[in-house]
Amino acid sequence: MTNWEKYQQIRREAAYTGLALLVLILFLCWAGFGLSDVEYEIFGLPLWTVTSSIGVWFFAIVLVKLLLRYVFRDMSLDQEEEKEADRHE
């Protein structure tokens, strides 16, 4: 992988991570404020309390799993290691 390809991959990972953060913030707003009028309780707590705390936590875990599966790539950032590998090829 060339340095340019690594740079593009890092940019892609950063962009998708920022997008995931934006989606998480929107979900938090919806789960906290959007459900505040719903009169449903879970374990004696209002629904918005559960969704805006535990629900956001689970949603964040799902987003991270999706990022790891579809966006992030395992690659070496060490240039010395690649130069050594190029010499042997």
Side-chain angles (χ1 to χ4, degrees):
M1 180 178 262
T2 66
N3 283 339
W4 177 251
E5 291 170 337
K6 289 179 183 178
Y7 174 73
Q8 292 295 325
Q9 177 62 27
I10 291 169
R11 282 190 55 187
R12 184 170 159 237
E13 290 173 1
Y16 277 97
T17 302
L19 182 65
L21 177 63
L22 179 65
V23 168
L24 190 61
I25 290 171
L26 292 175
F27 180 79
L28 174 64
C29 291
W30 174 78
F33 301 114
L35 297 177
S36 64
D37 293 336
V38 176
E39 300 208 12
Y40 183 77
E41 292 184 355
I42 298 175
F43 302 118
L45 296 171
L47 178 63
W48 68 267
T49 306
V50 176
T51 57
S52 65
S53 57
I54 298 172
V56 169
W57 187 68
F58 280 114
F59 192 64
I61 290 172
V62 169
L63 285 177
V64 169
K65 292 290 261 181
L66 290 174
L67 284 174
L68 290 175
R69 178 154 178 106
Y70 296 109
V71 177
F72 281 72
R73 286 181 60 187
D74 188 19
M75 61 184 177
S76 173
L77 297 178
D78 190 14
Q79 293 181 350
E80 295 295 325
E81 186 176 299
E82 288 200 8
K83 287 179 183 174
E84 186 72 26
D86 290 341
R87 276 190 242 150
H88 293 292
E89 290 181 358

